[in-house]
């Protein structure tokens, strides 16, 4: 628990460096920049791995495929105006991950609609038993984290957890 507290404190320092320009063209709304995006994803992975380590679970690594699936679903939730696990095409988290090229099983998906930052949404998910269970799934090996931000600042967050299937070794015949 101490590691989680330290990770949250360090994250707050990183976020404190992000500024919103009052009265500027963004109307006081902080827009997540492309430069911040990688840091946010790495931060989420670090927070997850901190709590996984406290439970003796293997760390997860960031997956480009799961991130792509999460970003696509975040945009779709914004269009639907509903934070939930179903795509407008009736797709499941597993189907979206497979479409994005992930080879394996989705072990959980967390979604949210909020104006809060990524650290706050992690805390919300961690305090919810079902969302925490997804993050703590013992078979999870990878994580993807995406969002869509509306012009008014509202964020649609998606976190996909998955267990990658190792490539099958080809037998060499003689």
């Amino acid at each position: 628990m101490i590691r989680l507290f330290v990770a949250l404190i360090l994250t707050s320092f990183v976020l404190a460096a992000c500024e919103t320009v009052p009265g500027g063209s963004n109307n006081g709304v902080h827009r997540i920049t492309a430069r911040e995006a990688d840091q946010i994803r790495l931060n989420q992975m670090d927070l997850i791995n901190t709590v996984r380590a406290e439970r003796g679970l293997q760390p997860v690594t960031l997956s480009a495929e799961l991130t792509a699936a999460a970003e696509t679903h975040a945009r779709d939730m914004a269009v639907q105006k509903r934070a939930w696990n179903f795509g407008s095409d009736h797709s499941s988290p597993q189907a979206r991950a497979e479409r994005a090229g992930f080879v394996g099983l989705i072990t959980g998906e967390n979604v949210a609609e909020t104006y809060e930052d990524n650290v706050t949404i992690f805390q919300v998910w961690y305090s919810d038993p079902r969302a925490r269970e997804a993050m703590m799934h013992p078979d999870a090996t990878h994580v993807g984290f995406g969002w869509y931000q509306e012009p008014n600042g509202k964020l649609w967050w998606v976190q996909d957890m998955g267990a990658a299937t190792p490539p099958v070794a080809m037998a060499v015949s003689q």
Side-chain angles (χ1 to χ4, degrees):
M1 195 62 163
I2 291 173
R3 278 195 258 174
L4 177 59
F5 179 72
V6 170
L8 289 173
I9 294 295
L10 291 174
T11 300
S12 67
F13 288 127
V14 169
L15 292 175
C18 301
E19 252 181 69
T20 302
V21 180
S25 61
N26 61 6
N27 295 320
V29 172
H30 176 73
R31 305 288 307 160
I32 297 173
T33 66
R35 197 176 86 201
E36 293 169 315
D38 288 339
Q39 185 60 42
I40 288 171
R41 287 186 182 93
L42 290 174
N43 174 257
Q44 282 293 307
M45 185 182 68
D46 288 345
L47 291 169
I48 291 167
N49 283 335
T50 297
V51 296
R52 287 179 66 85
E54 289 174 357
R55 293 178 178 217
L57 298 170
Q58 68 180 343
V60 294
T61 57
L62 198 57
S63 164
E65 295 82 8
L66 290 180
T67 294
E71 288 177 343
T72 299
H73 188 52
R75 280 187 214 92
D76 189 39
M77 289 188 317
V79 169
Q80 295 182 69
K81 299 291 184 208
R82 184 174 186 178
W84 68 334
N85 301 103
F86 301 98
S88 58
D89 61 354
H90 308 287
S91 61
S92 67
Q94 183 68 44
R96 291 189 298 273
E98 289 171 2
R99 269 191 291 212
F102 184 74
V103 179
L105 180 66
I106 292 299
T107 57
E109 181 178 73
N110 293 321
V111 298
E113 166 191 4
T114 184
Y115 289 91
E116 302 296 334
D117 61 53
N118 67 296
V119 174
T120 304
I121 200 57
F122 172 83
Q123 292 169 328
V124 168
W125 284 334
Y126 190 73
S127 67
D128 176 80
R130 290 185 74 193
R132 183 174 54 248
E133 183 179 321
M135 290 188 281
M136 299 299 110
H137 195 288
D139 296 335
T141 58
H142 290 81
V143 62
F145 189 70
W147 60 87
Y148 175 78
Q149 187 170 24
E150 294 182 356
N152 66 2
K154 181 189 280 186
L155 289 154
W156 300 83
W157 297 104
V158 178
Q159 176 193 78
D160 284 327
M161 304 293 297
T165 304
V168 177
M170 299 291 288
V172 179
S173 59
Q174 295 184 352

